[in-house]
Amino acid sequence: MLELKRTLDAKGHGVLEMPSGTGKTISLLSLIVAYQKAYPLEVTKLIYCSRTVPEIEKVVEELRKLMEFYTKETGEKNNFLALALSSRKNLCIHPEVSSLRFGKEVDGKCHSLTASYIRAQHHSNPSQPVCRFYEEFDAVGRQVPIPSGIYNLDDLKDFGRKKGWCPYYLARYSILHANIVVYSYHYLLDPKIADLVSKELAKKSVVVFDEAHNIDNVCIDSMSVNITRRTLDRCQTNVDTLQNTIQRIKETDAAKLREEYRRLVEGLKEANVARETDIYLSNPVLPDEVLQEAIPGSIRTAEHFVGFLKRFLEYLKARLRIHHVVQESSPQFLKDIYEKVCIDRKPLRFCAERLRSLLRTLEIADIADFSPITLISHFATLVSTYSKGFTIIIEPFEDKTPTIANPVLHFSCMDPSIAIKPVFERFQSVVITSGTLSPLDIYPRILDFRPVTMASFTMTLARTCLCPLIVGRGNDQVAMSSKFETREDFAVIRNYGNLLLEMSAIVPDGIVAFFTSYVYMENIVASWYEQGILENIQRNKLIFIETPDAAETSMALEKYQEACENGRGAILLSVARGKVSEGIDFVHHFGRAVIMFGVPYVYTQSRILKARLEYLRDQFQIRENDFLTFDAMRHAAQCVGRAIRGKTDYGLMIFADKRYARADKRGKLPRWIQEHISDGSLNLTIDETVQLSKHFLRQMAQPFRRVRPAPFFTRFS
Amino acid sequence: MAALSEEVLLVVKRVRQRKQDGTLYLMTERIAWGPEGKDRFTVSHLYADIRCQKISPDGKSKIQLQLVLHTGESTTFHFANESTALKDRDAAKDLLQQLLPKFKKKANKQLEEKNKMLQEDPVLFQLYKDLVVSQVISAEEFWASRLKLSSVEHSLSNNSKQEVGISAAFLADIRPQTDGCNGLKYNLTSDIIESIFKTYPAVKQKYAENVPHNLTEKEFWTRFFQSHYFHRDRINTGQQDIFSECAKQDEKGLKSMVVQGVKNPMVDLLSLEDKTLDEGYGSLTVGPNSSKTVKENSNSAIIKRFNHHSAMVLAAGLRKVDAPSDQASETSSTDGNSRDSDFFQPPIKKVKLQEAIEYEDLQNGSGPKTIALNLKKSDRYSHGPVPLQSHHYSTSQDIINSVNCIQEEISCYKPCLTRVMPSSAASSAITALSPGGLLMQAGTQQAVSQLVPTDVQSELKHLYTAAGELLRHFWSCFPVNTPFLEEKVVKMRSNLERFQSTKLRPFQEKIQREYLSTNVRLLLLVNL
């Protein structure tokens, strides 16, 4: 709280590591809300970004409790407006549209009912279907602001149903004057969405990124583009459609195109003015310089632009027709494209903006169909805008299957700071927090910002409810490690199996085991099956396994919880960096033990990663190994940290790899885990582990009495 | 013949029973034997009555089959046809083996229940011994009222008792053994078979379709183990394999489970991500992985199988529990599955959310839960029961008056010491009245319990409960308003008399012989 207050006072940014389950969310919320109440002019808005939808909803519920407490204690109703914002899929109440299963379909369908020209057509032709909720909202929804209160996603839907307004647009409109907004990272970090949603958020806001240990990857993902042969083929059809539409419109409604031309000549001045007056969050895809100029003449008319796109497309196709791997920087690419097809840098930079304008003019109904061409246009803009921080890798085939041609052009962002820069620049305080941010100093470096506070908190515990153990060898003294050289070793696999088997016999309820990668898990499961280890485990517990298919995994997860719930006990085999490790908590009996098989290093042979490591080394002076270890350890910590959520919770954390004992690995674990690793538990055999675990579990299973007050944060170093 | 409508499954001629030649018939519901030349059965047992069958060892000269009934009686058949005796016996045995289990459950259920009741309740057991074994009343009579009585409480206790689930490793328990000549032997027990059926309804269906008609049981299981279905890494099951269909069905089941989705929104990975990146963005592409090797494919098949297997085992365990509440869950599940589930989903979601953000230990007032005292009339609680007849209400004036009155009386009270009993007389009276004293010597409980040895005491207790039971039967017939009850009353009366004659008299005499002092009480009891 102290650190947070300091951060807010200084109007700077902060990095805070707080152990999970100690009330991170509520601490942040209560202090910032109190601050907002005390200095309503200093901090006008809290933007709370979390990662997953359940996470978002949890935050709002906690906030609701806080507000109830305020009302109870002060006796007055406070006029805070807090709301959650999510995608259309989670907010739509249109009976037809909301029944669609995938987010993209919902977006597309929604667009086809609410686009401005569709609505214009509806005026002249009432049979054209429109969304009545949107119409209603558009007619009256904006006049009166939504009454103050706490609105979770379901509350928004209920409110929308009651009023007959579209909850999605209502929420999007309301975040502008809400005191607290809770939404997902993407609304701030993904330039495509941020531009639509978060552009006008007030500057005097506090932004909190919760569960931010992966924030750099989110940034990178939002700026990277992959182009395959299939994308290009679909682009081709897009371009053809565009051409035909232009032809048709030219015959019927030439005025429209002329109007567009006029607008383009006037340029993007409007946007420029807005940004200078500091109303808009800047969009990294739309660089500042672009705004000051008009769209170049060569792509101003619709036909010219389509011709331009065609040329660009042909060029990309030619580039994909290669037989060896190519890696080049943006300037190299630009030079090449100029030489080959005479495409200048300047028009490329306007590509995204120009395409958007064209699509609007042409009244394209289904935007989703045009995602390939939009993708290409974004690529064009990005590649021509940033000469640094990006790399282009063209791979003619996948590494595993050199015979099957599957050319991919990776345009990958290597600098996460590009995407997050506007956020740091615009908002007065940005707080990055998570249960596992160690080592702290690396985040400011890779995100390129200067925090005023950096702190790692440990927790005071009523009892030592976590028991991290490092298992280094099997009972046969063979070292256990997922090191590349030994990972396929029969003895290692068998020892891993024995460890799981022994644990399955002594740990009650649920065990979660994480593997370093999906392929590795598949192999191990197969060989365990052949050796009969799985059968023996099945005598103790049911086995559920994560698969690459999300739906299947969800089912397995639910069954896993069911099995833990009804006392059978179960084991969930899962993958670090997988969906389960990122988003699911294993509270109480859902995870009495977490076993981390091996150190979850990222696949180091990928060229993209290599390029990124190189970039980090050159730009930020971060050594490759440091970064890799950091990345592996944060994922390991993330995995084992899933088990502890709260004071009464307890869990074993078993690191099954001898390498964890090394200081450089151990030192990168979060403090709150590190301080419980005793020197005696650094290189245990399976038997010793079982003994220690038994002891621990027996102690923990005693009824929890309230001996000491609830834990609070203490400053660690 | 009464059995004309029955289907005769097996006829074995030349079977001896009590040294008499005859023919053995195995019908759908019973086994019967008739002596040669006569067309009626002298022996006939319903399968439900048979507890087990025994056969004579292979080496023996007489080839016999013994049926042991639940009542403890047994019937022995001697297969006397020299050439085919062994074959005949085996045929009969095999058929019985198949038939008996079907009926066993039905019959056993009640029997087991009775057995369990007796085991759980020692008093009842003693009663049973006293009344039934000594043939005071018949077993049926004994149970007739008992079962009815206990069915209510029994069903209660039944509910609270858990079904035994299925071991997840039941397939692993079938350890194949090599039989020495290039083959494998699997040992199947009926438990395992049941587990397989419960977990994989598809196999059960196959079994039902094929077994009696197309295949023998043995063949069926041989094929089961041969089939790729059993081996989880099956990839391409042959068409001729009867289990390929099962595999397909399983796959379908798995798919439908997946399509159904999960009800708990907290674990739904599909809706976890708020905004997925559009196709083509992102640093990692998970392209269509068509280029998987065969090995990888089989690996992922194993993983799928494990998930499915575990889910099925879990489901099989839960099926029973769910059965009574099926009605409710069915409606809710259909609601949950349809996509316009907005009206259904929020409650679950709310609950889960609340669960996620609430910490029990942070709640106030988490002290030990006490049960609130629910008083209908709190004044009665605080004053205790008041005799109802004192219904004339006294006014406050009355009370004051009476209090004054008493006060006056007390104030003028003077102990009249001269008229008091001498203290020695008083103390002697007290000693006489206390236990062991002159007056109390005759019949105090304490004295009896000290005088009578424990075995006699317990016998007395048993007799007392038995008598009570009989009397309960007796009195339960009143008021006598049906001829049936009348008959029962008469029967019970005779039962009582019999009880008196067989049990009480001997006891009485015994007691009289030994302890004269206690007989008064006993006679009192007996002549009740």
Side-chain angles (χ1 to χ4, degrees):
Chain A
M1 287 244 179
L2 180 68
E3 303 291 337
L4 186 61
K5 169 87 167 37
R6 248 179 231 158
T7 317
L8 295 182
D9 281 341
K11 296 196 169 63
H13 312 311
V15 182
L16 304 172
E17 181 183 63
M18 299 186 230
S20 45
T22 49
K24 188 170 46 195
T25 309
I26 194 71
S27 315
L28 285 166
L29 284 178
S30 49
L31 181 72
I32 297 174
V33 167
Y35 205 93
Q36 251 177 307
K37 277 183 176 291
Y39 308 102
L41 295 176
E42 301 285 315
V43 174
T44 54
K45 197 190 282 290
L46 164 64
I47 305 170
Y48 198 103
C49 303
S50 197
R51 221 173 24 174
T52 62
V53 178
E55 220 60 86
I56 288 169
E57 293 189 301
K58 263 197 268 184
V59 172
V60 179
E61 289 306 316
E62 298 233 18
L63 188 63
R64 191 194 307 278
K65 275 194 150 179
L66 177 69
M67 288 307 175
E68 274 165 16
F69 186 72
Y70 261 112
T71 325
K72 208 177 89 191
E73 293 294 306
T74 59
E76 61 195 49
K77 186 123 178 56
N78 57 56
N79 47 0
F80 261 60
L81 173 64
L83 53 90
L85 176 62
S86 179
S87 56
R88 289 184 180 87
K89 188 187 152 222
N90 294 321
L91 280 176
C92 185
I93 52 170
H94 190 278
E96 264 171 62
V97 181
S98 62
S99 66
L100 295 169
R101 220 179 147 167
F102 296 102
K104 216 189 271 175
E105 291 171 359
V106 177
D107 288 353
K109 186 84 180 160
C110 179
H111 188 261
S112 72
L113 290 177
T114 57
S116 54
Y117 60 89
I118 297 273
R119 297 175 54 224
Q121 278 175 23
H122 177 70
H123 274 292
S124 53
N125 174 19
S127 65
Q128 176 85 26
V130 290
C131 173
R132 65 190 158 90
F133 295 105
Y134 182 76
E135 293 301 320
E136 191 67 25
F137 167 72
D138 200 50
V140 289
R142 280 183 239 266
Q143 290 155 9
V144 189
I146 176 169
S148 64
I150 314 292
Y151 293 90
N152 213 336
L153 298 179
D154 288 329
D155 304 324
L156 280 171
K157 275 174 156 176
D158 289 343
F159 185 76
R161 266 198 211 97
K162 209 167 69 197
K163 295 264 181 183
W165 297 349
C166 171
Y168 174 74
Y169 282 100
L170 176 69
R172 257 180 67 174
Y173 172 72
S174 302
I175 60 169
L176 298 180
H177 57 262
N179 301 85
I180 299 167
V181 183
V182 184
Y183 58 28
S184 119
Y185 287 0
H186 300 283
Y187 289 97
L188 266 187
L189 294 181
D190 191 337
K192 302 176 286 294
I193 314 170
D195 199 36
L196 287 174
V197 179
S198 313
K199 200 157 63 171
E200 293 169 58
L201 291 182
K203 192 171 162 41
K204 286 182 176 172
S205 305
V206 175
V207 180
V208 175
F209 288 106
D210 197 357
E211 304 284 337
H213 44 271
N214 251 351
I215 196 167
D216 53 327
N217 290 339
V218 177
C219 294
I220 285 177
D221 279 353
S222 66
M223 301 285 283
S224 299
V225 174
N226 299 296
I227 299 170
T228 60
R229 172 100 28 94
R230 193 163 151 266
T231 326
L232 292 182
D233 289 344
R234 286 171 60 202
C235 270
Q236 191 63 52
T237 32
N238 285 166
V239 171
D240 292 345
T241 326
L242 280 180
Q243 198 163 23
N244 292 339
T245 323
I246 291 169
Q247 210 59 46
R248 211 181 53 237
I249 287 188
K250 217 171 170 189
E251 283 157 13
T252 57
D253 195 4
K256 202 184 263 172
L257 288 176
R258 271 200 302 280
E259 161 66 15
E260 188 202 14
Y261 185 84
R262 193 191 54 76
R263 213 170 52 223
L264 293 175
V265 174
E266 274 180 22
L268 303 159
K269 289 218 182 73
E270 219 177 299
N272 189 28
V273 168
R275 188 174 293 184
E276 272 171 359
T277 50
D278 209 26
I279 299 171
Y280 285 176
L281 172 74
S282 63
N283 180 353
V285 183
L286 196 66
D288 280 336
E289 308 91 81
V290 174
L291 297 176
Q292 281 150 19
E293 302 167 41
I295 291 198
S298 57
I299 56 170
R300 229 176 273 170
T301 62
E303 296 105 317
H304 287 167
F305 180 60
V306 170
F308 170 83
L309 278 179
K310 265 186 173 166
R311 249 189 308 157
F312 185 56
L313 209 56
E314 282 310 316
Y315 171 74
L316 287 178
K317 275 187 183 163
R319 289 304 301 268
L320 282 184
R321 243 175 266 132
I322 47 155
H323 298 290
H324 56 277
V325 179
V326 176
Q327 178 172 6
E328 60 187 16
S329 64
S330 311
Q332 275 170 316
F333 180 84
L334 290 175
K335 185 159 167 279
D336 191 59
I337 197 171
Y338 183 71
E339 280 168 3
K340 295 260 173 63
V341 287
C342 291
I343 289 183
D344 215 350
R345 181 168 170 228
K346 201 169 159 196
L348 270 183
R349 286 171 70 176
F350 288 91
C351 206
E353 201 51 33
R354 181 67 188 87
L355 182 71
R356 225 169 63 172
S357 151
L358 183 67
L359 289 180
R360 218 175 319 151
T361 317
L362 295 184
E363 301 181 352
I364 304 293
D366 200 354
I367 291 285
D369 275 354
F370 281 82
S371 62
I373 191 81
T374 321
L375 180 78
I376 299 286
S377 72
H378 277 142
F379 165 65
T381 306
L382 283 171
V383 78
S384 51
T385 307
Y386 295 99
S387 55
K388 255 175 62 182
F390 288 86
T391 187
I392 295 165
I393 296 170
I394 307 172
E395 287 179 319
F397 43 73
E398 280 175 40
D399 275 345
K400 277 185 236 156
T401 53
T403 47
I404 303 163
N406 180 23
V408 186
L409 185 147
H410 300 286
F411 176 68
S412 79
C413 172
M414 293 181 298
D415 191 351
S417 64
I418 293 175
I420 206 170
K421 201 166 148 217
V423 178
F424 280 127
E425 277 176 357
R426 176 164 177 83
F427 298 110
Q428 75 178 31
S429 287
V430 177
V431 178
I432 291 180
T433 178
S434 170
T436 51
L437 280 177
S438 296
L440 284 181
D441 57 324
I442 207 156
Y443 283 91
R445 272 157 83 190
I446 56 176
L447 296 180
D448 194 24
F449 71 105
R450 211 173 293 280
V452 288
T453 47
M454 273 208 288
S456 171
F457 303 101
T458 178
M459 47 185 167
T460 49
L461 292 168
R463 50 179 190 176
T464 42
C465 64
L466 66 164
C467 176
L469 301 171
I470 299 175
V471 190
R473 58 219 149 94
N475 288 335
D476 50 5
Q477 303 301 322
V478 176
M480 273 201 263
S481 175
S482 68
K483 211 155 48 169
F484 183 72
E485 297 84 45
T486 61
R487 60 164 52 178
E488 300 298 335
D489 191 348
F490 194 74
V492 171
I493 293 180
R494 192 190 53 228
N495 275 336
Y496 275 160
N498 284 339
L499 175 64
L500 189 61
L501 176 59
E502 299 277 333
M503 295 315 286
S504 75
I506 61 161
V507 177
D509 300 322
I511 299 180
V512 193
F514 289 100
F515 292 85
T516 53
S517 73
Y518 194 75
V519 180
Y520 188 51
M521 179 172 81
E522 269 191 352
N523 286 337
I524 285 207
V525 166
S527 63
W528 280 353
Y529 170 63
E530 279 154 22
Q531 293 172 32
I533 292 175
L534 284 184
E535 288 180 351
N536 288 327
I537 292 173
Q538 275 189 322
R539 283 176 212 280
N540 300 326
K541 286 180 193 305
L542 292 176
I543 299 178
F544 294 97
I545 306 171
E546 182 180 355
T547 68
D549 181 71
E552 258 179 67
T553 311
S554 309
M555 191 210 65
L557 247 176
E558 197 186 41
K559 299 279 176 204
Y560 167 79
Q561 295 204 337
E562 210 173 286
C564 291
E565 203 65 66
N566 74 6
R568 264 204 99 107
I571 292 180
L572 182 71
L573 303 182
S574 175
V575 177
R577 298 165 195 281
K579 283 221 164 76
V580 173
S581 73
E582 289 292 328
I584 307 292
D585 287 344
F586 296 100
V587 284
H588 295 287
H589 56 285
F590 293 139
R592 282 298 179 219
V594 184
I595 306 175
M596 183 74 233
F597 289 116
V599 185
Y601 279 114
V602 68
Y603 173 62
T604 49
Q605 296 307 303
S606 115
R607 292 191 182 78
I608 301 171
L609 182 75
K610 277 183 180 159
R612 189 172 168 205
L613 289 176
E614 221 165 87
Y615 183 82
L616 285 173
R617 191 190 54 208
D618 296 344
Q619 296 298 316
F620 302 119
Q621 285 78 47
I622 298 171
R623 280 185 305 156
E624 282 119 332
N625 254 335
D626 279 352
F627 182 78
L628 285 178
T629 316
F630 151 75
D631 187 57
M633 293 315 286
R634 71 171 164 183
H635 279 107
Q638 202 35 231
C639 291
V640 296
R642 303 264 123 207
I644 304 277
R645 287 283 185 269
K647 189 173 61 158
T648 49
D649 204 354
Y650 62 89
L652 285 161
M653 298 175 168
I654 295 171
F655 298 93
D657 194 311
K658 139 183 121 140
R659 288 174 293 173
Y660 282 109
R662 285 192 214 147
D664 67 317
K665 306 276 188 309
R666 197 153 40 102
K668 289 194 168 71
L669 283 175
R671 296 273 189 205
W672 57 277
I673 296 180
Q674 229 183 94
E675 65 181 7
H676 288 102
I677 304 181
S678 61
D679 284 339
S681 59
L682 283 185
N683 192 13
L684 303 166
T685 64
I686 293 174
D687 270 352
E688 287 163 350
T689 313
V690 169
Q691 283 315 313
L692 284 172
S693 312
K694 268 186 180 162
H695 180 72
F696 171 76
L697 289 170
R698 198 162 46 230
Q699 240 176 3
M700 286 299 119
Q702 308 309 315
F704 183 81
R705 279 187 304 274
R706 291 217 272 173
V707 195
R708 291 185 217 177
F712 51 90
F713 303 121
T714 50
R715 182 72 198 272
F716 192 79
S717 59
Chain B
M1 215 190 292
L4 264 183
S5 58
E6 286 177 280
E7 191 191 346
V8 179
L9 298 174
L10 185 73
V11 180
V12 186
K13 288 200 171 145
R14 301 207 54 194
V15 178
R16 282 182 174 201
Q17 209 257 332
R18 303 211 177 166
K19 315 230 160 139
Q20 214 178 354
D21 268 332
T23 313
L24 184 71
Y25 297 88
L26 273 88
M27 260 90 71
T28 40
E29 299 227 325
R30 57 184 185 141
I31 184 167
W33 179 86
E36 206 133 316
K38 290 180 187 157
D39 59 350
R40 69 187 164 74
F41 301 130
T42 50
V43 179
S44 168
H45 297 305
L46 289 177
Y47 291 131
D49 291 337
I50 299 173
R51 187 196 288 164
C52 65
Q53 56 168 340
K54 292 176 178 168
I55 54 168
S56 55
D58 281 345
K60 253 189 150 181
S61 59
K62 274 189 180 174
I63 293 164
Q64 288 178 320
L65 179 90
Q66 189 185 37
L67 300 177
V68 183
L69 304 185
H70 288 305
T71 51
E73 297 162 29
S74 64
T75 315
T76 311
F77 299 106
H78 177 200
F79 292 80
N81 196 347
E82 286 85 11
S83 53
T84 59
L86 197 66
K87 223 171 71 192
D88 285 349
R89 203 264 319 266
D90 284 349
K93 182 198 78 179
D94 285 347
L95 192 57
L96 272 176
Q97 216 164 24
Q98 281 181 32
L99 290 171
L100 284 182
K102 286 184 201 161
F103 293 94
K104 213 168 195 168
K105 261 177 224 147
K106 244 196 288 176
N108 275 6
K109 215 169 173 191
Q110 241 186 357
L111 205 73
E112 255 170 40
E113 208 173 320
K114 288 175 186 171
N115 238 333
K116 212 164 71 188
M117 273 174 71
L118 286 182
Q119 271 166 13
E120 279 173 0
D121 191 351
V123 179
L124 193 70
F125 184 55
Q126 187 60 45
L127 207 59
Y128 185 79
K129 269 207 308 209
D130 285 344
L131 295 181
V132 180
V133 178
S134 59
Q135 296 189 334
V136 175
I137 57 173
S138 69
E140 276 120 66
E141 267 174 322
F142 180 77
W143 287 116
S145 64
R146 273 290 148 191
L147 278 181
K148 237 180 287 159
L149 192 82
S150 64
S151 64
V152 179
E153 52 184 290
H154 209 71
S155 67
L156 279 177
S157 69
N158 234 3
N159 270 357
S160 64
K161 239 163 230 158
Q162 279 189 324
E163 258 322 291
V164 176
I166 296 169
S167 160
F170 66 82
L171 282 179
D173 285 332
I174 322 164
R175 288 247 162 267
Q177 296 162 335
T178 46
D179 60 358
C181 49
N182 231 356
L184 286 171
K185 218 172 119 188
Y186 289 96
N187 284 325
L188 272 176
T189 65
S190 61
D191 268 354
I192 294 178
I193 292 178
E194 201 180 322
S195 299
I196 293 174
F197 284 165
K198 258 187 179 171
T199 319
Y200 295 109
V203 176
K204 186 173 186 176
Q205 201 192 332
K206 282 281 153 203
Y207 181 84
E209 276 171 19
N210 284 318
V211 163
H213 328 295
N214 300 345
L215 303 162
T216 67
E217 190 167 3
K218 197 172 165 196
E219 272 173 347
F220 178 82
W221 291 115
T222 316
R223 288 220 192 162
F224 177 76
F225 288 115
Q226 278 169 352
S227 83
H228 290 278
Y229 182 67
F230 174 63
H231 300 285
R232 294 188 193 130
D233 42 358
R234 72 221 146 102
I235 310 154
N236 32 14
T237 39
Q239 283 303 314
Q240 77 285 0
D241 191 352
I242 56 167
F243 291 107
S244 63
E245 212 173 297
C246 293
K248 267 178 215 142
Q249 228 164 330
D250 278 359
E251 216 119 285
K252 227 192 281 169
L254 190 67
K255 233 173 234 152
S256 75
M257 260 194 269
V258 167
V259 169
Q260 247 178 37
V262 289
K263 282 183 212 130
N264 179 358
M266 305 300 273
V267 296
D268 192 356
L269 293 170
L270 282 177
S271 64
L272 210 56
E273 217 44 58
D274 186 21
K275 196 94 189 181
T276 45
L277 290 168
D278 287 342
E279 194 184 347
Y281 295 97
S283 55
L284 291 166
T285 40
V286 189
N289 251 339
S290 54
S291 54
K292 270 200 155 179
T293 59
V294 178
K295 188 163 183 303
E296 277 170 342
N297 258 335
S298 81
N299 286 355
S300 61
I302 289 176
I303 285 176
K304 260 193 196 158
R305 295 272 315 143
F306 265 107
N307 277 342
H308 183 240
H309 174 79
S310 299
M312 292 305 273
V313 168
L314 195 61
L318 290 177
R319 221 168 280 146
K320 283 280 159 58
V321 183
D322 278 351
S325 60
D326 231 9
Q327 213 75 44
S329 68
E330 214 165 294
T331 49
S332 64
S333 70
T334 45
D335 275 357
N337 294 341
S338 57
R339 266 298 287 158
D340 56 342
S341 51
D342 283 334
F343 300 98
F344 171 72
Q345 236 177 2
I348 287 190
K349 210 164 149 186
K350 275 255 159 63
V351 170
K352 291 279 169 194
L353 269 179
Q354 284 301 326
E355 254 174 43
I357 62 164
E358 252 166 32
Y359 292 95
E360 241 173 71
D361 51 310
L362 295 183
Q363 300 298 314
N364 284 326
S366 61
K369 280 244 170 85
T370 50
I371 296 165
L373 189 60
N374 191 10
L375 291 176
K376 287 209 178 92
K377 287 180 185 164
S378 57
D379 53 330
R380 279 189 71 177
Y381 175 74
S382 44
H383 298 308
V386 180
L388 276 172
Q389 65 264 30
S390 63
H391 253 323
H392 50 95
Y393 296 98
S394 41
T395 62
S396 58
Q397 191 57 48
D398 286 346
I399 294 170
I400 292 170
N401 285 346
S402 56
V403 166
N404 287 342
C405 218
I406 291 168
Q407 261 175 352
E408 263 169 48
E409 259 177 51
I410 288 175
S411 65
C412 60
Y413 170 74
K414 276 189 190 116
C416 186
L417 291 170
T418 48
R419 273 155 57 188
V420 167
M421 235 198 290
S423 60
S424 58
S427 65
S428 74
I430 287 171
T431 40
L433 278 169
S434 49
L438 258 176
L439 291 171
M440 296 303 284
Q441 206 177 25
T444 46
Q445 278 295 2
Q446 216 181 347
V448 171
S449 64
Q450 275 161 5
L451 282 171
V452 183
T454 43
D455 59 325
V456 180
Q457 262 185 58
S458 66
E459 207 182 334
L460 178 64
K461 221 185 270 170
H462 293 151
L463 280 175
Y464 178 71
T465 46
E469 175 71 16
L470 281 176
L471 285 171
R472 198 173 60 74
H473 279 279
F474 181 68
W475 288 115
S476 70
C477 302
F478 292 98
V480 189
N481 43 17
T482 63
F484 172 71
L485 278 177
E486 209 177 310
E487 189 188 326
K488 201 178 169 190
V489 168
V490 175
K491 213 166 62 191
M492 286 320 295
R493 200 184 125 73
S494 66
N495 276 344
L496 272 172
E497 275 159 7
R498 209 176 334 144
F499 181 70
Q500 197 176 14
S501 62
T502 55
K503 288 262 162 176
L504 292 186
R505 279 279 147 67
F507 184 67
Q508 198 181 351
E509 279 154 18
K510 186 174 138 203
I511 300 283
Q512 262 168 351
R513 252 180 282 127
E514 290 169 26
Y515 315 97
L516 281 167
S517 61
T518 44
N519 63 358
V520 189
R521 269 177 74 77
L522 279 170
L523 279 175
L524 229 151
L525 197 149
V526 168
N527 300 329
L528 188 89

